[in-house]
Amino acid sequence: MQSRQLDAGANKLDDETDIMTYHLIGEDTDFIPLMTTEEEGHLEVSEIPEELPILPLRNTVLFPGVVIPITVGRDKSIKLIRDAYKGKRIIGVVAQRDAEVEEPGMQDLFDIGTVASILKMLRMPDGSTTAIIQGKRRCQIEEMLKEEPYLMAKASIVEEGKPEDTDSEFNAMVSSIKDLALEIIQASPNLPSEAAFAIRNIESPSFLIHFISSNLSNSMEEKQAMLEVKELKERATVLLQALHKESQLLELKNQIQSKVRVDMDKQQREYFLHQQMRQIQEELGNGETVDIKDLRKKATRMKWGKTVQKAFDKEVAKLERMNSMAPDYSIQLNYLEFMTDLPWSEYSKDQFDLKRARKILDRDHFGLEKVKERIIEHLAVLKLRGDMRAPILCLAGPPGVGKTSLGRSVAEALGRKYTRMSLGGLRDESEIRGHRKTYIGAMPGRILQSLKKSGTSNPVFILDEIDKLSRDVHGDPSSAMLEVLDPEQNNSFHDNFLDLDFDLSKVLFIATANNLSSIQPALRDRMEIIHISGYSVEEKVEIAKKHLLPRQLKEHGLGKDAVQLSKPILEFMIESYTRESGVRNLERKIAAVVRKAAVAEASHEFFMSKMGKADLVKILGPALPKEQYENNEQAGVVVGLAYTAVGGDILFIETSLSRGKGRLTLTGNLGGVMKESAHIAYEYLKSKSDRLGLSHEVFDHWNVHLHVPEGATPKDGPSAGITMLTALASAFTQQKVRPKLAMTGEITLRGQVLPVGGIKEKVLAARRAKIQTIVMCEDNRRDVEEIEPSYLKGLHFEYVRSMDQVLDFALMKTKVKDAISVAEVVPTSASRSKD
């Protein structure tokens, strides 16, 4: 049951008015009695004119016998009401299928509607027109006659299938409908008591059904479906179902409201009890709660200074003045608990046994001599001086070389606690500095949270993936890290949540990064960069034998002899199944072999523990294509050396010539710097064409296409400059390039060769590809000298300072097979003058 607004036009009634009250409106008296059976019979003998004006209704359905007010807003509807009121006052009322349609046609209306009579037309003070109409009989629209000035249609009466008065089932159903409607009115606080009076005084069963159906709170589509039911008994059944549904919803709503009211009463009761308890405790001289007692007891054991003690006393006093039921009470309590949980001036004792520290570092990591030496140096200085600010170390290198795991070994070697914080994808500055405690859900920064977990103020703190910090609208976390990683500032690090200075100067921060170029320059300047290069094949073999294989056997529950991988087999696995600077993929391949042994062990099957190459291929599948140098039988193809995020790699620079007008085309997903290197090389070659025995006119008659294979992989950097120039020179001269040669270096327009980075990774990549000779800048000689001599076996280095030296060394005097004559397409001077 509901009170609602009705709309026949664009506007709705301003005040919500119960429809049932309109049955109390008369023309000459204060009210008219509700419809009797005789009056209903009079309605049923009403006739329909041949042309019936049709009034579309929005959001409501008119039932026979029911009186409703409608406010008319559309021009057509206003004209229809006024014309009909002057005439016979008989109209057809049909509901719209879509209430949003402003000018409905026949297709926008339902087929079944109601013939109605206009009881009264009122002109409201705001200028709108309101009509009070009463439904008579159901009708069906058969044919649209015209649409202007308003809808006119031919309609026929839909006969009502009424049960006999002696039908006891129908009479019982009508009685149930009346009783259920009265229960809903009584249970709902929104329905007026006059509605119950109206329902009790309805005598006609059909009018009762139509009256209650019209006042239900269900949708317009459901009401239309009820109107279209042919038999009155069936319509009564549908109405009874709808009333039961509304009764259940109303009961559930009342239960929820009652439950909420009970909960509110319970909260108020608890609040008053707490207030009384507090008053009693104050009278007894025991006003401090258990929480405050614990905080004060814990504070007596803290090693903080006078400033912190003063701030603590102030915050505890504030907590004592708060009501324990207030929302801010828990926030203040959490703040004080965090304050007392921090390790103020709690330091673990460093161990200065250098031999033991070296033993631990060598046990856990093979190679990494630079890092180990730096840690030993730090221990030695600490031992001699007794106190020293911890350095900020940054281990930079490709993935999988042991940067993160090195932190645990360093912590064990120093005898300190270990904590780690991953910075990958961190975008919010408050993750570092924390939120101010005035915000809802405020938390301290992850720096202090990690120190709280470690329990000391001088742990080994790993800042993992510091190059992956990003920024957004919430701030720049890399800028917040400037204070953390500055030895001159971090002795008074300020966290927004704590709102006090905390000393981080004794923390040994070790950051890890893959790419230093993505780190903010100011942040990079605060760290001591230690480059960790990729491993050679020999190092990977040792790491696999000493660390990877024993760890995988232990993790899979196998004995130490369950799988035996000899040195040649490990070398075959490294060269044929992995292509990386680190050892992550190598460990995955070893795990795949160990899993096969685990399956055999669990199934009680035989497994050959000593693996051969054939067994390895059977388990791991076909080997990867090797990065091998092919030959020097084609002009314009030179091998370059590149440094990637996963280590070194060889890079083929391919150049081809075609007759044209001197256009240079670059392909291979090259970055801006690499494209510039290609243009520099091409222009330098043009300026030095005489030295190579080329006419300068050659470049105007040959198009050049320079391509770097693996076009889906982005490539950038200046280190391929001398490689591109050598490839272009070889293409134009058709001379062979020295066999098994690779090169790396940047060039300038003056023809100078500049040094580049990543030398160790590039040298290892060249060695994997069976390269014998490497050309690089003279200034890179010191980088080569830092590489262990065992890694340089079989390699010859040619150090240069100018491109003339590069071309003199790289280009051979012999031409390639099937060499083209570049000068053939250049017109002679005679032919040019003739033209």
Side-chain angles (χ1 to χ4, degrees):
M1 307 288 286
Q2 66 171 357
S3 296
R4 66 187 185 281
Q5 300 170 344
L6 300 175
D7 184 19
N11 303 316
K12 295 184 178 181
L13 290 176
D14 293 332
D15 299 320
E16 288 190 9
T17 311
D18 196 323
I19 297 171
M20 287 178 272
T21 61
Y22 288 95
H23 293 278
L24 306 179
I25 297 176
E27 293 189 24
D28 301 316
T29 60
D30 293 333
F31 70 94
I32 58 172
L34 292 167
M35 184 174 292
T36 62
T37 306
E38 292 78 14
E39 291 171 335
E40 185 181 16
H42 177 70
L43 289 178
E44 292 179 355
V45 299
S46 302
E47 297 181 356
I48 299 179
E50 294 181 358
E51 292 187 358
L52 183 67
I54 303 299
L55 177 66
L57 278 189
R58 289 177 175 175
N59 302 322
T60 193
V61 177
L62 178 64
F63 286 80
V66 178
V67 178
I68 63 172
I70 56 172
T71 297
V72 185
R74 290 184 283 222
D75 294 337
K76 287 185 178 182
S77 301
I78 294 174
K79 184 170 179 55
L80 184 150
I81 291 294
R82 290 177 178 175
D83 291 351
Y85 192 73
K86 294 175 182 177
K88 297 181 179 180
R89 302 188 181 186
I90 302 298
I91 61 174
V93 177
V94 185
Q96 288 183 209
R97 297 180 185 272
D98 185 1
E100 299 297 327
V101 178
E102 285 295 328
E103 295 292 334
M106 196 65 192
Q107 69 279 3
D108 299 315
L109 305 177
F110 288 98
D111 296 331
I112 301 296
T114 306
V115 178
S117 64
I118 303 175
L119 301 180
K120 197 167 188 64
M121 185 180 72
L122 305 171
R123 288 183 175 86
M124 309 304 289
D126 59 355
S128 62
T129 300
T130 297
I132 299 174
I133 61 175
Q134 182 180 30
K136 290 180 173 292
R137 303 186 66 181
R138 294 188 308 148
C139 67
Q140 181 169 1
I141 308 301
E142 296 181 349
E143 180 183 1
M144 176 60 69
L145 299 177
K146 59 181 179 179
E147 294 186 359
E148 296 296 335
Y150 38 79
L151 297 178
M152 298 289 292
K154 181 180 180 182
S156 60
I157 294 295
V158 178
E159 296 297 331
E160 192 82 36
K162 291 186 177 181
E164 298 293 335
D165 294 339
T166 57
D167 191 338
S168 58
E169 183 181 357
F170 175 73
N171 293 332
M173 195 178 301
V174 171
S175 178
S176 298
I177 289 172
K178 180 179 288 189
D179 294 340
L180 197 53
L182 293 173
E183 288 179 9
I184 293 173
I185 294 171
Q186 185 177 2
S188 176
N190 298 323
L191 294 176
S193 57
E194 289 84 1
F197 171 80
I199 290 177
R200 287 192 185 98
N201 287 276
I202 295 176
E203 300 174 358
S204 169
S206 61
F207 179 68
L208 177 69
I209 294 171
H210 293 154
F211 179 78
I212 297 176
S213 299
S214 179
N215 285 276
L216 276 177
S217 60
N218 53 1
S219 65
M220 184 270 292
E221 288 78 11
E222 293 174 333
K223 290 182 179 180
Q224 179 68 27
M226 293 176 66
L227 181 67
E228 293 178 1
V229 175
K230 294 182 178 180
E231 300 294 330
L232 186 62
K233 186 175 182 180
E234 185 180 351
R235 195 177 306 151
T237 304
V238 176
L239 175 60
L240 190 59
Q241 293 174 350
L243 286 172
H244 274 293
K245 180 180 177 181
E246 186 163 352
S247 176
Q248 292 172 359
L249 289 174
L250 185 61
E251 181 180 358
L252 182 61
K253 181 179 177 181
N254 291 336
Q255 288 177 358
I256 293 173
Q257 291 178 347
S258 175
K259 182 180 178 181
V260 172
R261 184 165 55 251
V262 169
D263 289 344
M264 287 295 294
D265 294 341
K266 182 180 179 182
Q267 287 184 5
Q268 290 178 350
R269 179 173 174 271
E270 289 177 353
Y271 172 75
F272 288 120
L273 288 175
H274 277 290
Q275 289 292 96
Q276 292 174 4
M277 185 184 299
R278 186 174 179 181
Q279 293 293 330
I280 293 171
Q281 287 176 343
E282 289 179 357
E283 291 292 328
L284 295 175
N286 187 23
E288 292 184 347
T289 63
V290 177
D291 292 332
I292 297 176
K293 276 187 176 181
D294 291 342
L295 288 172
R296 291 191 180 278
K297 185 177 180 181
K298 192 183 293 186
T300 59
R301 302 191 297 267
M302 303 304 296
K303 300 177 182 178
W304 50 34
K306 293 181 179 179
T307 304
V308 182
Q309 181 66 48
K310 183 178 179 181
F312 174 79
D313 293 339
K314 180 181 178 182
E315 296 297 333
V316 168
K318 186 187 296 184
L319 182 68
E320 289 175 338
R321 294 193 299 270
M322 284 185 179
N323 179 10
S324 59
M325 296 300 294
D328 290 343
Y329 183 86
S330 60
I331 297 174
Q332 186 72 6
L333 181 61
N334 289 338
Y335 170 75
L336 289 169
E337 287 178 345
F338 176 74
M339 190 174 177
T340 55
D341 287 340
L342 281 175
W344 299 89
S345 302
E346 293 284 345
Y347 301 109
S348 58
K349 188 176 180 181
D350 288 329
Q351 299 180 12
F352 302 117
D353 189 344
L354 303 185
K355 291 183 179 179
R356 173 183 171 273
R358 182 75 193 198
K359 187 177 179 180
I360 291 173
L361 294 173
D362 289 337
R363 180 198 67 193
D364 295 340
H365 292 83
F366 186 86
L368 305 179
E369 297 301 327
K370 236 189 219 184
V371 187
K372 294 175 184 176
E373 285 299 325
R374 183 64 187 85
I375 300 301
I376 297 300
E377 290 169 3
H378 177 63
L379 278 176
V381 175
L382 278 178
K383 183 176 182 179
L384 294 175
R385 199 174 158 177
D387 183 24
M388 178 184 171
R389 286 184 178 177
I392 312 297
L393 304 180
C394 179
L395 307 180
V401 294
K403 300 185 299 296
T404 304
S405 61
L406 190 68
R408 290 189 182 275
S409 302
V410 172
E412 185 180 352
L414 290 172
R416 293 189 179 189
K417 297 286 187 179
Y418 169 82
T419 186
R420 173 183 167 273
M421 175 180 171
S422 178
L423 300 176
L426 203 67
R427 301 189 303 272
D428 195 345
E429 181 185 344
S430 60
E431 292 285 339
I432 306 297
R433 291 190 178 276
H435 310 80
R436 296 199 177 276
K437 62 182 180 183
T438 53
Y439 294 113
I440 296 175
M443 293 181 63
R446 291 173 60 184
I447 298 291
L448 292 190
Q449 287 189 53
S450 300
L451 290 179
K452 172 189 166 185
K453 291 177 183 177
S454 69
T456 63
S457 294
N458 65 336
V460 174
F461 201 125
I462 303 298
L463 299 170
D464 216 1
E465 308 289 355
I466 198 169
D467 57 324
K468 306 300 190 301
L469 282 173
S470 56
R471 60 184 300 176
D472 65 358
V473 295
H474 299 291
D476 182 7
S478 62
S479 298
M481 291 296 294
L482 294 176
E483 183 184 3
V484 177
L485 299 183
D486 191 345
E488 299 297 327
Q489 299 180 33
N490 63 9
N491 59 347
S492 57
F493 173 70
H494 189 86
D495 185 276
N496 291 329
F497 181 83
L498 183 64
D499 204 20
L500 292 168
D501 292 338
F502 194 90
D503 186 7
L504 300 179
S505 62
K506 303 296 189 296
V507 179
L508 177 56
F509 287 104
I510 299 179
T512 69
N514 299 129
N515 184 13
L516 291 175
S517 62
S518 61
I519 302 177
Q520 189 184 120
L523 183 59
R524 188 168 64 243
D525 183 64
R526 282 162 166 77
M527 299 184 291
E528 180 181 339
I529 308 297
I530 300 177
H531 293 277
I532 301 180
S533 304
Y535 296 117
S536 66
V537 175
E538 292 80 4
E539 287 177 324
K540 290 181 181 178
V541 169
E542 293 299 323
I543 292 171
K545 288 176 64 177
K546 294 181 179 180
H547 301 285
L548 305 183
L549 181 57
R551 181 164 64 199
Q552 290 300 322
L553 289 172
K554 182 179 179 181
E555 289 182 357
H556 289 80
L558 297 175
K560 61 179 181 178
D561 296 326
V563 176
Q564 299 179 28
L565 299 175
S566 63
K567 183 176 179 181
I569 293 300
L570 285 171
E571 288 181 355
F572 174 71
M573 182 184 292
I574 293 166
E575 293 177 351
S576 302
Y577 291 97
T578 64
R579 192 171 292 170
E580 58 179 346
S581 290
V583 291
R584 281 209 183 104
N585 282 331
L586 177 59
E587 186 170 12
R588 293 188 187 105
K589 299 301 179 184
I590 292 175
V593 175
V594 173
R595 284 196 297 271
K596 292 295 182 183
V599 172
E601 180 76 18
S603 305
H604 304 289
E605 298 176 354
F606 174 75
F607 183 80
M608 180 66 72
S609 60
K610 291 186 177 181
M611 303 292 294
K613 288 186 178 180
D615 301 320
L616 208 60
V617 172
K618 187 176 180 181
I619 294 174
L620 300 180
L624 295 172
K626 292 186 178 180
E627 305 167 324
Q628 295 290 352
Y629 172 83
E630 295 177 358
N631 56 61
N632 64 336
E633 297 299 323
Q634 187 172 352
V637 179
V638 184
V639 178
L641 297 175
Y643 177 71
T644 67
V646 294
D649 198 359
I650 65 171
L651 202 67
F652 288 94
I653 306 294
E654 301 176 350
T655 308
S656 66
L657 302 178
S658 60
R659 295 181 180 182
K661 296 183 179 181
R663 185 176 69 250
L664 175 63
T665 303
L666 305 175
T667 56
N669 202 350
L670 308 183
V673 177
M674 204 165 183
K675 288 180 180 179
E676 290 174 359
S677 297
H679 285 290
I680 292 171
Y682 190 49
E683 294 301 325
Y684 178 79
L685 187 64
K686 286 182 179 181
S687 67
K688 298 294 182 180
S689 59
D690 294 340
R691 186 183 177 284
L692 296 173
L694 296 172
S695 170
H696 67 276
E697 296 176 346
V698 169
F699 299 97
D700 296 331
H701 297 85
W702 290 93
N703 289 337
V704 183
H705 188 158
L706 190 147
H707 176 68
V708 184
E710 298 185 18
T713 305
K715 310 168 192 72
D716 203 4
S719 63
I722 66 171
T723 315
M724 291 177 169
L725 179 54
T726 305
L728 289 168
S730 173
F732 275 100
T733 61
Q734 293 294 294
Q735 291 176 336
K736 288 185 177 182
V737 178
R738 188 179 293 271
K740 298 190 176 180
L741 173 74
M743 54 183 65
T744 181
E746 182 180 355
I747 64 169
T748 68
L749 279 175
R750 294 176 292 169
Q752 293 180 337
V753 179
L754 303 181
V756 292
I759 294 300
K760 182 179 178 182
E761 286 79 6
K762 293 177 179 179
V763 169
L764 294 177
R767 195 175 177 211
R768 288 196 303 266
K770 309 301 181 185
I771 297 293
Q772 295 178 354
T773 307
I774 299 177
V775 179
M776 64 178 64
C777 178
E778 178 70 35
D779 293 335
N780 284 125
R781 184 191 293 268
R782 57 188 175 86
D783 298 309
V784 176
E785 291 173 352
E786 292 180 358
I787 303 174
E788 291 187 25
S790 60
Y791 302 160
L792 306 179
K793 287 181 181 179
L795 289 175
H796 169 72
F797 292 91
E798 185 69 22
Y799 299 103
V800 296
R801 288 199 177 277
S802 67
M803 273 311 302
D804 292 341
Q805 293 175 283
V806 176
L807 297 179
D808 288 342
F809 180 79
L811 296 182
M812 302 175 67
K813 300 302 181 183
T814 56
K815 292 187 178 291
V816 297
K817 187 180 179 181
D818 299 329
I820 62 173
S821 179
V822 178
E824 283 184 356
V825 297
V826 181
T828 63
S829 58
S831 62
R832 285 198 302 270
S833 61
K834 183 179 178 180
D835 291 339

